Amino acid sequence: MSDLRNRLERFFSPAPERKREQRQDRGYGEPGAEQGQNGTPDAISAHRREKGAAVGEFLGVRGLPEGKWLRRGVYLVESRHSLEEPHGTVPLRGLGESGVALSCWGGGSAPVFFDLETTGLAGGTGTYAFLAGVGRLEEHDFVVRQLFLASPAFEPDWLEMLEELLAEGTSLVSYNGRAYDMPLLQTRFALARRTSFLEELPHLDLLRLSRGVWKGDLESFRLVEVEKQVLRFVRGEEDVPGALVPELYGAYLRSGNAAVLDGVFLHNRWDILSLAALQSLLGRLASEGGTEARDCLRAGRLWARAGETEKASRFWRKAGEDPTQRSEAFRCLAQAAARRKEWPVAEEFWRASLSGGGFSLVPLVELSKIWEHRLRDMDKALVFAEEALRLLLGQRAFLPGPLWERQRMELRKRVERLRRRAAQQGPQQER
Amino acid sequence: MLSRRTKTLEELLRWVEKDLPGEVAVHRMLPPRQAVTAPFGPLDPRLVAALAERGVTSLFTHQQRAVELACSGRNVAVVTPTASGKSLCYTIPVVQGILEDPAARALYLFPTKALSQDQMAELYALIEKTGADIRTFTYDGDTPSAARQKIRTAGHVVITNPDMLHTGILPHHTKWVKLFENLRYVVLDELHTYRGIFGSHLANTLRRLKRICAFYGSKPVFICCSATIRNPGELAEALLEEPVALVAENGAPRGEKHVLVYNPPLVNRQLGIRRSALLETARIATEALASRIPTIVFTRSRINVELLLTYIRQGLAACGGSPDIVAGYRGGYLPSERRTIEKGLRDGTILGVVSTNALELGVDIGSLSLALLHGYPGGIAAAWQQMGRAGRRSGLSAAILVASSFPLDQFLANQPDYLFNASPEHARINPNNLYILVNHVKCAAFEKPFVQGENLGTAETGDVLNYLEEQGVLHLAEGRYFWQDASFPAENVSLRSATSENYVILDVTHPERPVVLGEVDRPSAPMLIHPEAVYFHAGQPYQVMELDQEGMRCLVKRVDADYYTDADMAVRLQLLDVFDSAESWGWGEVLLASRPTVYKKIRLGTHENVGYGYVHLGEEQMHTTGMWLLFGEEVLPSGWSDDLRSSVLAGTAHLLRSTAPLFLMCDRTDISVHSHVRDPHWERGAIYLVDNVPGGVGLAETAFAMRGHLIRAAKEALAGCPCERGCPGCIGIFSGESGNVKASVRELLGMLGRASA
């Protein structure tokens, strides 16, 4: 064995200058060098003895938050949260209503919020979940249940219990769960040689929704960012960054001491609370257009993406009543009309959007296009194109050089072409 | 110069023998052979009808045997020359199996993507005619992600490559439940390519595949096809770790075939200089193509492909022919370009092709009448594979090897019997190579936890699993080892030693719309596309304007150059660390570095040197492990000149390189040897045997451990070789008058034996 270890170490760290990097690469370095006090040979055999006990007899796991063992290796932690207490600035009231308001995206009257903590992001069959947070409304409280897997050996039982918990409502609510959590669970069920009905349940993915609503407003759609910007919720220092989670679980498995996971339990609970608050906020936005005029625009965008153009237009018209949002609202209405091929209506909205002020190159260009290709009046098309070019020339200082240059070239070409076509005059056929 | 009247192939051969100034060293006729056929046996009538519609009314005996074995559930390896109808050997059992049970699935593994595409088309054509709903898909890096979901669940036949199986399918096996639950057949084509390190990796990938199949309750039958090697059955059994029935007797008909070795004429008898083999090859190819004889020309380097292409086109134009009937084909051409050429060859719009060994593998280009080999490709198996590219089921075909001035080629020209009598090379693998095994144990543990005591194939894993557990990569609980690392292990394990990094060549002749011209693999870039290089693509010269090493791009411009460039590489082997040593042997870490130094400008046609320049590029470096053997003054006779010492060390190194793979169970190309008359580190003579894989895979270490056997085997090989002064099979070929190198090597080995006894 020691000969094998020597040989392996030699292979996996051949180049002197690479040795240092590889030291940090867990798994390849010398066992004593970087595992700190736990890494000495004595400590290894000691922790193995201890660990053997921990896994063989789950009650030997130390340091878990208060809770109870449901089955061998499966542990439940429960916490209750008052509906009156806001998460960030958003109260958790009305979770059923907001769920219904979002039914078009998979929401429901009895939402079950869930989020998984996993052993990595690599995907594939080697990544598993060890902690699932499941939140739902119960009488007058919001209850978060956290199902903990004490060792991968008990995963089949853990999956079974999780499936039960998740099926207690009308729909699932997650953050990126459609792309990440649900496929991961499917993989785990398949490895346990089982199928699961979870994939059939309605599933509201708040990441997808958030992307649609705050596109352009937020730089990142990581949950912690959205919390900060939208819910005004800032996590305390006790929080564990998601990237550290796999390593902490590994440390727990080696030591049997679950106290290192305190921050992970907290992190996961906050995730669930944020999901609930976020749904509540998005539900209000979708049904009432939210609290500020910009939210009306967002609500419109949300409905437009769902194909509900009528609803979308209603919110945009409402947004248009606010002078600060007018030009943007009319742009949205113009684009919607263009999609319906109602060219005169689109033309009108584009023109209306010009009165809102701001840098209005886009409406001018669109107007020029509509007149050239749809309504076929080259003179009018030329007027708007020339106006756009004039506007652009005045904007040189405000735009990045290459972008400005490219737009100028394009507009020049457009103006030249329109001049030619206008000179030929008459309603002409498209080339 | 060229005769106007077109020639038949027979006349062309006579012309080579009689009218060309060089000498034909040998001309052998391989007689025609009749087809030996057998009835279909009990096959589904839909399949029989579909075959009949494709013109197949009976099977050749080898096909029938393979079908019968596979259908009865036995693994089979078929050794198939070109044009013997190998794909039916697996297509029939697979289609039959799916017709019997529509849930059944099959997995095809081809070593390259191009072959997958080819087979897909052929299989599809047959399936269509059966009228059954059998879905075939290729699944590789190019498969759009939208299509993947459907392929995983609905594909009856999934065509992929080992790399994709390793990184894309096995680690995601839960998405392929349907496939793994119902996997009836696995087809391994081009089995002979899975040798050495690559083969050892594949063997472990197959171990993982079988482990996953067992998990889902399937046990597939393997159908393998191999080109001629010395030990196809042995290789198949080593890869599969199961009994494999070998089908080697070929029932396909063959027309009469002629094999010639042509040696270009001496132009300077005193210096022994011959006319350029490249120009002679071009001349014969031009004559053949002008006579509309379908011809394939093989050469060893990419530059030579372009030169031959250029000369043949010039020759065709000069005699009033169309230069477009011949195309180049080599690594670095875009896939679309290659497909066009393959299609042109099949439908006859292209009559000739000049290729590197890129066309050795079974890419379907139809049948050609003449194979021209510009130089010996370096191995018996490869030579016969290239010559086999010309061959028809009826009618005449021919292969001509044009000997270059390399000593090896001249040896063949002088002793052409070697070509006919030497056995093709052995293919060896070592699936239990520790380095490779550990990597695949990691991948397998990621795919599914190991149970204590569970093996991977026939390899015991206990120590490896415990090691990985100690390292925190695995976690042991309830008697099972769980993957406990955030990484995705398959991504860090490449099945192939060669890097897949490529430079993209951009034609910026019109800077406003650059065009992607082709690509060059990273290790070759310093030679071929250094700044100022003149690079030929499809017979057109381009000058390299810029080599962007960070962006992996190379910008070139069309030029009218009448020369090409050829860079000299300086190779440096440096000892970094000694891991162990005993007597004059040792092993440790070495650095292999190569750097282009100067380039020469060489005029087209005359090949005269018309200038040179310096190349300023960094070194390409590879850290790996090496074994060395030192020669102090006590073993090197003082009477030997430096010249002789150099030859003797090189000869000994060559001998070790031929014998070592036997002990290391690797391929010749997995190791490299280097000899230094005066090694800068040891300050005496040294021979190095180096792992030709970044990081090393334990070959040098094993060589060191087996040094006694190595020397003994080298002595035996030398004693057993009937040649007089050296041949490719032992010490290599030496020209010059430094004395009898073979005798001196024997003397040296004798002294070594005494010194270490």
Side-chain angles (χ1 to χ4, degrees):
Chain A
M1 184 65 198
S2 73
D3 176 47
L4 176 94
R5 186 175 314 121
N6 286 340
R7 292 185 60 198
L8 288 172
E9 267 153 24
R10 200 128 56 190
F11 278 136
F12 285 101
S13 53
E17 60 267 39
R18 265 179 287 146
K19 270 180 187 154
R20 186 166 311 160
E21 297 165 28
Q22 297 201 339
R23 284 259 164 76
Q24 294 161 2
D25 189 358
R26 195 155 52 93
Y28 293 153
E30 292 166 45
E34 60 284 347
Q35 293 186 348
Q37 63 239 73
N38 281 337
T40 62
D42 277 352
I44 287 175
S45 55
H47 99 75
R48 291 178 115 192
R49 271 198 307 280
E50 201 181 307
K51 185 178 50 177
V55 172
E57 176 59 69
F58 60 77
L59 292 174
V61 174
R62 290 172 281 121
L64 277 171
E66 204 188 313
K68 62 180 177 192
W69 291 99
L70 296 181
R71 285 193 195 169
R72 195 161 136 80
V74 183
Y75 188 79
L76 179 72
V77 176
E78 222 176 83
S79 60
R80 302 181 93 78
H81 303 263
S82 158
L83 295 183
E84 299 311 314
E85 204 174 299
H87 181 68
T89 54
V90 182
L92 298 183
R93 262 176 286 127
L95 287 177
E97 291 84 331
S98 60
V100 172
L102 298 173
S103 60
C104 179
W105 294 274
S109 60
V112 174
F113 302 89
F114 85 103
D115 190 55
L116 304 176
E117 304 304 327
T118 65
T119 58
L121 293 173
T125 47
T127 308
Y128 62 91
F130 64 87
L131 181 67
V134 181
R136 67 186 194 108
L137 208 56
E138 245 168 57
E139 286 158 27
H140 305 296
D141 288 330
F142 185 69
V143 180
V144 179
R145 294 202 171 79
Q146 291 176 294
L147 205 58
F148 176 67
L149 176 61
S151 154
F154 307 112
E155 195 188 22
D157 279 346
W158 182 85
L159 286 170
E160 198 180 309
M161 312 288 315
L162 178 64
E163 195 178 34
E164 270 175 38
L165 275 185
L166 290 178
E168 282 178 347
T170 54
S171 67
L172 297 174
V173 186
S174 71
Y175 201 77
N176 198 25
R178 277 174 185 271
Y180 184 74
D181 305 57
M182 201 44 80
L184 187 137
L185 283 180
Q186 292 306 124
T187 293
R188 304 319 299 172
F189 278 109
L191 270 169
R193 297 301 280 132
R194 286 196 36 186
T195 52
S196 164
F197 56 83
L198 288 176
E199 216 178 15
E200 317 297 323
L201 293 180
H203 185 153
L204 169 62
D205 189 331
L206 293 176
L207 171 62
R208 292 190 180 190
L209 223 53
S210 302
R211 280 221 176 100
V213 171
W214 291 293
K215 191 179 160 199
D217 297 333
L218 295 179
E219 271 180 32
S220 152
F221 283 92
R222 287 171 53 227
L223 184 57
V224 281
E225 279 307 305
V226 177
E227 278 173 3
K228 221 185 284 175
Q229 306 296 333
V230 178
L231 307 176
R232 309 274 165 215
F233 174 71
V234 181
R235 298 187 181 218
E237 276 183 9
E238 318 90 289
D239 186 52
V240 170
L244 287 184
V245 169
E247 221 166 290
L248 289 171
Y249 187 65
Y252 149 76
L253 282 180
R254 281 192 292 277
S255 67
N257 180 8
V260 294
L261 294 174
D262 277 352
V264 179
F265 274 91
L266 183 66
H267 173 90
N268 178 255
R269 192 155 59 236
W270 273 338
D271 281 353
I272 300 298
L273 289 169
S274 289
L275 283 185
L278 194 57
Q279 180 193 290
S280 171
L281 189 111
L282 283 166
R284 209 156 355 114
L285 192 95
S287 54
E288 302 157 21
T291 48
E292 43 177 293
R294 272 194 77 75
D295 284 341
C296 268
L297 279 178
R298 293 172 176 139
R301 214 148 51 194
L302 197 58
W303 287 110
R305 285 175 144 241
E308 299 269 353
T309 38
E310 270 306 302
K311 271 191 187 167
S313 297
R314 216 159 46 232
F315 280 113
W316 283 330
R317 280 202 202 89
K318 195 171 156 202
E321 288 164 15
D322 183 319
T324 62
Q325 305 301 322
R326 184 164 298 151
S327 79
E328 181 63 29
F330 285 153
R331 278 184 194 207
C332 292
L333 285 163
Q335 280 162 348
R339 266 194 296 274
R340 293 193 304 270
K341 303 203 190 309
E342 293 171 9
W343 305 113
V345 182
E347 200 269 351
E348 218 169 297
F349 278 125
W350 278 122
R351 240 170 344 142
S353 85
L354 283 175
S355 60
F359 179 59
S360 18
L361 196 63
V362 175
L364 288 170
V365 174
E366 291 301 321
L367 281 164
S368 170
K369 281 190 202 163
I370 288 183
W371 282 112
E372 181 184 1
H373 301 299
R374 309 297 175 184
L375 303 177
R376 311 267 158 109
D377 184 328
M378 299 309 141
D379 287 332
K380 285 216 170 81
L382 180 59
V383 171
F384 285 116
E386 282 174 334
E387 182 61 30
L389 186 59
R390 201 172 311 127
L391 185 72
L392 183 76
L393 294 177
Q395 294 292 331
R396 176 156 210 174
F398 306 103
L399 287 176
L403 175 70
W404 183 85
E405 188 55 41
R406 202 175 57 235
Q407 291 192 340
R408 194 177 67 100
M409 291 289 285
E410 280 168 14
L411 275 175
R412 264 215 195 295
K413 267 192 211 151
R414 182 176 297 282
V415 167
E416 275 161 27
R417 183 179 66 233
L418 286 168
R419 280 196 185 130
R420 253 193 338 269
R421 296 187 75 175
Q424 289 162 10
Q425 212 33 268
Q428 296 190 2
Q429 289 301 310
E430 185 80 324
R431 265 180 301 177
Chain B
M1 194 168 88
L2 287 161
S3 51
R4 290 278 158 229
R5 202 179 64 79
T6 65
K7 297 181 171 69
T8 63
L9 182 55
E10 278 142 314
E11 288 166 336
L12 183 88
L13 297 180
R14 214 169 305 129
W15 172 77
V16 169
E17 279 188 298
K18 297 269 155 50
D19 296 347
L20 284 186
E23 57 185 296
V24 170
V26 71
H27 180 161
R28 289 256 180 113
M29 194 269 281
L30 310 178
R33 201 177 44 210
Q34 292 295 311
V36 192
T37 57
F40 283 125
L43 294 183
D44 189 292
R46 284 171 289 174
L47 177 54
V48 173
L51 286 166
E53 239 183 289
R54 309 253 309 150
V56 181
T57 50
S58 65
L59 295 178
F60 301 129
T61 43
H62 64 285
Q63 294 172 327
Q64 188 273 336
R65 184 91 188 104
V67 168
E68 185 186 311
L69 284 163
C71 286
S72 66
R74 302 209 16 219
N75 297 322
V76 48
V78 192
V79 184
T80 52
T82 317
S84 61
K86 72 167 178 188
S87 43
L88 282 185
C89 295
Y90 47 78
T91 304
I92 291 176
V94 165
V95 174
Q96 170 72 16
I98 299 168
L99 288 174
E100 278 169 16
D101 172 12
R105 298 283 190 267
L107 185 68
Y108 282 30
L109 290 177
F110 289 94
T112 67
K113 276 192 234 166
L115 291 170
S116 310
Q117 298 292 345
D118 242 31
Q119 281 302 320
M120 167 85 185
E122 192 171 333
L123 183 61
Y124 189 77
L126 180 69
I127 285 172
E128 216 183 3
K129 296 232 175 341
T130 65
D133 180 25
I134 299 177
R135 294 178 202 175
T136 54
F137 297 101
T138 52
Y139 191 83
D140 56 34
D142 301 338
T143 308
S145 51
R148 296 190 173 199
Q149 173 73 27
K150 191 179 166 208
I151 297 172
R152 287 175 190 140
T153 51
H156 285 99
V157 182
V158 176
I159 302 174
T160 185
N161 53 59
D163 315 81
M164 198 63 185
L165 177 65
H166 158 65
T167 54
I169 297 179
L170 289 174
H172 297 282
H173 61 84
T174 51
K175 299 195 172 113
W176 296 83
V177 174
K178 276 265 182 304
L179 176 80
F180 287 117
E181 278 179 347
N182 301 293
L183 191 58
R184 176 85 72 91
Y185 290 111
V186 176
V187 171
L188 279 173
D189 203 348
E190 311 291 343
L191 194 76
H192 58 280
T193 58
Y194 301 122
R195 57 182 191 262
I197 299 304
F198 185 33
S200 306
H201 274 296
L202 182 81
N204 279 289
T205 308
L206 294 177
R207 286 169 165 175
R208 284 159 52 201
L209 169 69
K210 290 199 278 184
R211 184 169 177 262
I212 295 305
C213 286
F215 176 66
Y216 290 101
S218 64
K219 191 178 183 310
V221 169
F222 288 81
I223 309 174
C224 315
C225 292
S226 172
T228 305
I229 49 173
R230 197 184 300 183
N231 57 337
E234 191 186 22
L235 176 65
E237 296 200 337
L239 282 165
L240 302 182
E241 302 188 304
E242 287 176 21
V244 179
L246 183 67
V247 176
E249 56 298 328
N250 179 12
R254 188 186 62 196
E256 185 177 312
K257 180 158 189 175
H258 292 253
V259 177
L260 285 76
V261 175
Y262 173 79
N263 206 6
L266 279 166
V267 289
N268 183 326
R269 201 162 287 278
Q270 277 79 38
L271 297 175
I273 298 173
R274 288 177 186 274
R275 187 178 285 175
S276 154
L278 189 130
L279 292 173
E280 291 288 281
T281 307
R283 186 174 175 193
I284 301 173
T286 307
E287 188 68 26
L289 288 168
S291 298
R292 303 203 63 79
I293 297 171
T295 301
I296 182 165
V297 183
F298 282 105
T299 183
R300 279 182 291 218
S301 70
R302 283 173 269 195
I303 286 182
N304 283 346
V305 168
E306 298 295 341
L307 290 177
L308 281 166
L309 182 63
T310 306
Y311 297 158
I312 295 169
R313 283 184 173 165
Q314 284 170 357
L316 286 171
C319 66
S322 159
D324 299 332
I325 59 169
V326 60
Y329 188 106
R330 58 173 175 84
Y333 282 15
L334 296 174
S336 56
E337 215 172 344
R338 290 202 195 196
R339 295 300 91 76
T340 310
I341 297 167
E342 289 159 16
K343 191 171 162 290
L345 282 163
R346 280 195 299 268
D347 65 24
T349 49
I350 297 177
L351 267 184
V353 63
V354 186
S355 172
T356 54
N357 58 9
L359 261 178
E360 246 173 48
L361 290 174
V363 176
D364 178 18
I365 50 166
S367 55
L368 300 158
S369 301
L370 176 64
L372 268 173
L373 278 60
H374 168 229
Y376 178 63
I380 294 288
W384 283 103
Q385 262 180 65
Q386 294 187 349
M387 294 195 290
R389 270 297 185 175
R392 298 172 173 280
R393 289 190 177 169
S394 62
L396 191 68
S397 70
I400 305 175
L401 169 67
V402 180
S404 75
S405 56
F406 284 125
L408 193 56
D409 285 41
Q410 284 308 307
F411 168 84
L412 279 174
N414 291 324
Q415 300 185 40
D417 284 350
Y418 185 85
L419 193 61
F420 297 94
N421 298 340
S423 327
E425 290 75 11
H426 256 288
R428 296 190 182 84
I429 59 167
N430 179 15
N432 293 342
N433 173 311
L434 187 61
Y435 175 92
I436 296 171
L437 178 66
V438 168
N439 277 315
H440 285 275
V441 167
K442 285 163 99 176
C443 295
F446 181 92
E447 284 148 17
K448 188 172 87 67
F450 272 94
V451 179
Q452 261 178 325
E454 178 190 348
N455 289 342
L456 182 61
T458 61
E460 282 186 20
T461 54
D463 287 348
V464 174
L465 290 170
N466 285 335
Y467 171 80
L468 293 172
E469 202 255 339
E470 261 176 51
Q471 301 292 307
V473 177
L474 300 180
H475 173 70
L476 174 64
E478 305 280 299
R480 282 187 293 160
Y481 292 88
F482 295 90
W483 182 255
Q484 205 56 55
D485 197 84
S487 67
F488 188 90
E491 247 162 33
N492 303 323
V493 182
S494 166
L495 303 188
R496 309 186 194 235
S497 322
T499 165
S500 56
E501 283 180 299
N502 272 339
Y503 278 93
V504 173
I505 300 178
L506 279 177
D507 176 5
V508 292
T509 311
H510 305 286
E512 68 284 1
R513 42 183 177 86
V515 179
V516 175
L517 195 64
E519 48 193 27
V520 168
D521 60 294
R522 207 188 81 186
S524 307
M527 284 280 281
L528 298 178
I529 49 167
H530 58 80
E532 295 172 23
V534 172
Y535 171 80
F536 276 71
H537 187 100
Q540 301 291 349
Y542 297 84
Q543 177 134 42
V544 175
M545 312 307 295
E546 188 192 334
L547 184 68
D548 170 7
Q549 289 180 287
E550 269 185 24
M552 298 292 283
R553 294 185 320 159
C554 172
L555 308 185
V556 301
K557 258 188 188 161
R558 271 297 302 273
V559 284
D560 261 334
D562 65 344
Y563 67 93
Y564 68 97
T565 56
D566 187 16
D568 281 345
M569 295 292 277
V571 178
R572 182 164 72 87
L573 184 144
Q574 189 189 338
L575 179 68
L576 298 178
D577 198 0
V578 179
F579 290 160
D580 200 357
S581 63
E583 297 133 26
S584 44
W585 301 77
W587 80 285
E589 189 185 0
V590 298
L591 171 74
L592 256 187
S594 58
R595 192 167 61 82
T597 50
V598 293
Y599 68 89
K600 290 170 288 191
K601 299 178 179 177
I602 298 168
R603 175 164 292 158
L604 293 174
T606 61
H607 291 190
E608 63 191 312
N609 201 331
V610 291
Y612 68 96
Y614 293 97
V615 187
H616 305 281
L617 282 177
E619 280 187 333
E620 276 287 314
Q621 295 193 338
M622 177 168 85
H623 288 261
T624 180
T625 55
M627 179 215 74
W628 55 84
L629 170 56
L630 307 177
F631 301 89
E633 289 303 320
E634 70 282 4
V635 287
L636 285 175
S638 53
W640 288 2
S641 66
D642 268 4
D643 245 13
L644 182 60
R645 286 182 177 203
S646 161
S647 297
V648 169
L649 289 185
T652 310
H654 188 280
L655 184 63
L656 284 176
R657 190 182 174 191
S658 324
T659 45
L662 184 65
F663 298 98
L664 309 179
M665 289 185 288
C666 67
D667 192 59
R668 278 172 57 86
T669 55
D670 293 327
I671 52 176
S672 63
V673 290
H674 307 261
S675 59
H676 298 162
V677 177
R678 191 155 195 83
D679 184 81
H681 180 90
W682 302 105
E683 299 192 325
R684 48 182 144 161
I687 292 174
Y688 289 86
L689 188 153
V690 174
D691 282 42
N692 218 354
V693 179
V697 286
L699 301 177
E701 184 194 15
T702 312
F704 174 75
M706 304 189 81
R707 56 192 180 277
H709 296 275
L710 216 57
I711 283 297
R712 222 166 303 135
K715 279 187 198 163
E716 280 163 20
L718 199 63
C721 189
C723 72
E724 206 176 306
R725 300 170 71 90
C727 74
C730 59
I731 61 164
I733 309 294
F734 293 90
S735 52
E737 350 22 276
S738 45
N740 187 339
V741 179
K742 188 171 178 182
S744 305
V745 169
R746 195 179 298 124
E747 196 181 331
L748 183 70
L749 288 176
M751 279 186 284
L752 268 182
R754 271 197 302 284
S756 58

